[in-house]
Amino acid sequence: MSAADPTRSHGPGGVHPIARLPEEWEAYFEANGERAFRGAQVFRWIHQRGELDPAKMSDLSKAWRVRLSEEGLAPPFELVEVFRSRDGTRKLLLELVDGGRVECVLIPMSKESDEDDESPATSGSSAEPPTDRRRKMTLCISTQLGCAMGCVFCASGQAGLVRGLGAAEIAAQVLEARRHLDDGEVLSNLVYMGMGEPLHHYDETARSIRLLSHGEGAGFGLRRITVSTVGLVPGIRRLGEDFGGKVGLALSLHAPSDDVRQKIIPMNSRFGVRDLVQSLREYPLPRRRRITIEYTLISGVNDQPAHARALANLLRPLSVKINLIPMNVIDASSLAAPSDEGVERFRDLLVQAGYSCFLRRRRGDDVAAACGQLALAERLVRPSASS
Ligand code: SAH
């Protein structure tokens, strides 16, 4: 029997073991003459306890442990290295079974990004102490190896798309990252803001959200998960429909008009600024929740007062908060962030126009973990994997 392929949820052997939902596990066990409750048991081993080695699933029979391992239940990557930043950010470099390398980044949560939170963090285990006192961490996860979107200011897409990650590979980043929390920390939020475009890869992204939000598993409430997109309108619509608007949405807008956006985001020729605003209006957001607008400030491109005013007008019909990110320099481009004064001026104009506007401090840039730097310092694929 050939082992399941972690790079996709569905292969010849059915759904990959790590990507199976409890009901799929139940159906699997029943089809194999075993009682259905084993399904929830194995799902909990994987997603609640983070155990990906069937040999360690002590309440399963020896025969089942062997069988699950033959079917490909195993970690879908190896941890290569953990880079620790002075500011507490931790970047995990992971090597996938086919040699590709991706990263995910643990980031201490700032007060301001916490301000929309209404419910306490779920820890996934009732044995843990209350979460309130613990330091909240956000995990930034990757959905693709490389990226096809080609935004000119972003490092992830410079080499193009190698492949999408399977839901198993996406969800396992969370299971791995939980092992790298320090004492007194809790993994509170997930953001799909690492390498790749999550909505370009909708099915695996959506399945990973179902896995990670399941109450028998890691138990992240949907409101603690945010998907960031370059603006693929059909994907935004599907996400809204499939999760009832409860999954947080972040739009990488970066410009108030098509002529500016076109210069930095090739995908804007498919879905322009008006389409994007319309799709955000239609997103079935629960009351009192806001969509996040990401705006990377690039000197001389989108950072002028006129841009801020146009942005304020454009966003008027929406319930949003704005994250300003001074561009992190990448080797592939000569683009750069405006001066601090330029950034402040831009923010002040938006605040005066009545918007909640946050300046995203550069996190982890001493370990190349800041936005757009993922995988820049690392080759996407080991030389030995291609030669
Ligand atoms: N593809 C998704 C998620 C990945 S990028 C998206 O486009 O939203 C996460 C965020 O980092 C996006 O807002 C992206 O535009 C921004 N970003 C990418 N490169 C950057 C850079 N060099 N400096 C600042 N922000 C950057």
Side-chain angles (χ1 to χ4, degrees), residues 140 147 149 151 153-156 192-198 227-231 250-254 265 294-297 325-330 360 370-373:
C140 178
C147 183
M149 299 298 117
C151 303
F153 50 84
C154 178
S156 301
Y192 284 64
M193 287 186 190
M195 200 192 294
E197 167 50 47
V227 171
S228 178
T229 178
V230 71
L251 173 69
S252 294
L253 186 59
H254 307 320
I265 301 180
E294 290 163 282
Y295 198 102
T296 294
L297 282 163
I325 320 161
M327 186 191 153
N328 298 304
V329 172
I330 62 166
R360 276 237 302 257
C371 295
Q373 297 181 332

Side-chain angles (χ1 to χ4, degrees), residues 256 295 302-313 345-346 349:
Y295 198 102
N302 62 0
D303 64 334
Q304 296 305 301
H307 296 129
R309 284 189 277 269
L311 184 64
N313 279 333
R345 184 184 56 189
F346 200 91
L349 285 168

Side-chain angles (χ1 to χ4, degrees), residues 77-91:
F77 46 65
E78 266 176 37
L79 178 69
V80 178
E81 206 166 341
V82 180
F83 300 89
R84 257 182 183 268
S85 162
R86 286 184 295 270
D87 64 19
T89 300
R90 264 144 271 169
K91 179 171 83 167

